[in-house]
Every structure is written in structure tokens, then in C-alpha cells.
Amino acid sequence: MACPLPVVTVKRALEEPGSVGVTVMLDDGAPRENVTRFARNRGYEVNEAVTADGITLTITGSSGGVASPTISSQPERRNLFVTSDRLGDGPEELGRLLMKNFIITLLESPLLPDKILLVNQGVLLATEGSELLETLEKLGNRGVELLSCGVCLDFFGKRDALRAGSVTNMFTIVETLMAAGGTIRL
Amino acid sequence: MVNEGEYIAVFNSIHRVMKAEKFLKELKFPILLIPAPRAVSSDCGLALRYTEKERIAVESALAGSELAPEMVYCRRGNDYLLCRGVES
């Protein structure tokens, strides 16, 4: 399972209604470090056991005792709804530069969105050739879930070129936006 | 976004850094235009990021095209060490 999928998978499991924890088997190295950091930042207790097959992490507790502030760990969840590969109106070159700067700067912020939803030309940010792939992977490792609109990827012929996050549909996009405490549209 | 040991070149104008980015990309250098870290710039500045391996080639190419950066910093731990300032 390639990064940031281990973090995203654990995050989803922990967010299941009634979840009191999960046990997950991981490879040593980055998956182990990323999942451990993510869970501890959310206030969970992480116990580690080394087995012949790899590392087993038992994650228990609740996200109530948050060690590091993230928006997603606050009572109000907030999402980013990215509808373009450019930020703002104006020259195309400047818009692309500003979008790239925004996402990279987001990585430096202690407050992160719960999800980033990419639609229309926004999906191009997560496809092959995007300069943001490294940044998006790092955001994923910090628990930010990246979802790209499948229709949009198909329209641009880029479904096979998706390199970060996963594909979603409009049902999930609508449900996510309506359930969120707040959405920031870019 | 700047990893340990990597370098960032800071320029004195947005147009100059964008010109430098375009120039280096045409030469296929693996550089990335990023927001300048707070530690080296108090405004909404930009910087070019590259590895130590590429450093000499990148900076030589820039200097040879009158696009030498204003400052070059190297990431060491949590600090950015000034490597040199270039007359622009």
C-alpha cells in the first residue's frame, strides 16, 4: 500500500461511527511512521508490536485529546473545494502559480482541512506531471484526504494518470460538502 | 517543502524568478518554484528549490544568463543558512 494510503485507510476506519480503535499491520519505515504520527496527533494512543510479518499498530482511544491542532480534529470539519488548477481570475500563468503556492503553503499550516475535493480542472493538480504531487502526498500523510471527481478525470482523459488521492463521484462530493461544518472554495 | 540539505534561490522580483524558472525548466533541471519560507522572506516571496546535486549546474546556468539569484540558502535542520548573495 503506497503512501499516503495507509494513513487515509486508518483515518477512515477511525472515523467509522462507533469506532473505538483499529489494529493495522504495516511495513516498517514510512507507513509505520506516518500512521503513528497521524494517530498521535489526533490524540489516539498507539501501541506497537513487531511481528514476523511486519509492524502491528493498535490504535485506541478517541480524538478528544488532540496533541496538535488540525481543523479536522476540531468539532467543525472543514473541506477545501478546488474547482480549478488556477487560483483567482487573471493571467493563467499567475493563477497556476498562486494555486501551487497555496497548496504548498497549506502544508506548512498547523490547521489542515479534513478533505480536499478536486473537480473540473482542479483534478489536474493530482495527475501525472503536476508539480504538486510531492505536496499532496505529504498532506495525505498528515491525514488530509484527497478526492478527485471521476467524471472530470474521464473528461480530460486523465483517469489513468491520477497520481495522488482517489477517485470519487458527485454523490460523495455532495454528501461531503453538505456534512462539513465549513467549506472553502478555491 | 524544503527538505534537509536542499537549496533555495531567492530573487528580487516575481518576474525575475518566473523567468528563471522557465529558463531552468527548458533546460530540464528538476527545480520547483515554491513560496519562500518565512525564515528568509517576510513578504509573499517565491524561491526556486533544488538539490545539492544540481546546485552547481543550476547556479552556473542562471549566472550565465544574467539570472543570478539575489540570495541562496541551504536548509540545515530548522535553519536556512545563507550560502551567498549575488549582485543582481
Side-chain angles (χ1 to χ4, degrees), chain A residues 113-136:
Chain A
D114 190 56
K115 293 184 174 71
I116 299 178
L117 303 163
L118 304 177
V119 301
N120 209 315
Q121 287 200 169
V123 300
L124 301 178
L125 300 173
T127 57
E128 190 161 331
S130 165
E131 289 188 307
L132 284 173
L133 296 180
E134 177 189 343
T135 308
L136 294 175

Side-chain angles (χ1 to χ4, degrees), chain A residues 100-101 108 131 134-135, chain B residues 1 3 25 33 46 49:
Chain A
K100 191 171 72 172
N101 273 9
E108 308 293 329
E131 289 188 307
E134 177 189 343
T135 308
Chain B
M1 202 51 199
N3 302 307
K25 281 191 171 171
L33 185 60
L46 297 167
R49 185 194 76 173

Side-chain angles (χ1 to χ4, degrees), chain A residues 51-124:
Chain A
T51 66
D53 298 322
I55 306 292
T56 298
L57 299 181
T58 303
I59 303 168
T60 54
S62 69
S63 60
V66 177
S68 162
T70 63
I71 282 180
S72 54
S73 63
Q74 304 298 314
E76 182 180 277
R77 289 187 178 176
R78 205 170 295 180
N79 299 314
L80 277 187
F81 188 45
V82 182
T83 61
S84 172
D85 58 345
R86 288 176 255 163
L87 185 59
D89 300 320
E92 191 176 320
E93 186 180 17
L94 179 61
R96 288 211 168 89
L97 172 67
L98 293 177
M99 178 61 82
K100 191 171 72 172
N101 273 9
F102 182 93
I103 302 290
I104 291 175
T105 304
L106 185 65
L107 185 63
E108 308 293 329
S109 169
L111 298 172
L112 294 176
D114 190 56
K115 293 184 174 71
I116 299 178
L117 303 163
L118 304 177
V119 301
N120 209 315
Q121 287 200 169
V123 300
L124 301 178

Side-chain angles (χ1 to χ4, degrees), chain B residues 40-83:
Chain B
V40 305
S41 171
S42 58
D43 59 8
C44 184
L46 297 167
L48 290 177
R49 185 194 76 173
Y50 46 90
T51 62
E52 183 167 16
K53 183 183 165 193
E54 302 288 340
R55 184 188 176 197
I56 292 174
V58 165
E59 292 177 17
S60 298
L62 289 173
S65 298
E66 299 185 344
L67 284 170
E70 189 179 17
M71 298 287 179
V72 173
Y73 297 88
C74 179
R75 176 87 187 251
R76 291 277 188 261
N78 291 324
D79 298 321
Y80 289 90
L81 304 182
L82 180 63
C83 296

Side-chain angles (χ1 to χ4, degrees), chain A residues 18-31:
Chain A
S19 169
V20 291
V22 297
T23 298
V24 59
M25 188 176 285
L26 296 161
D27 289 334
D28 201 359

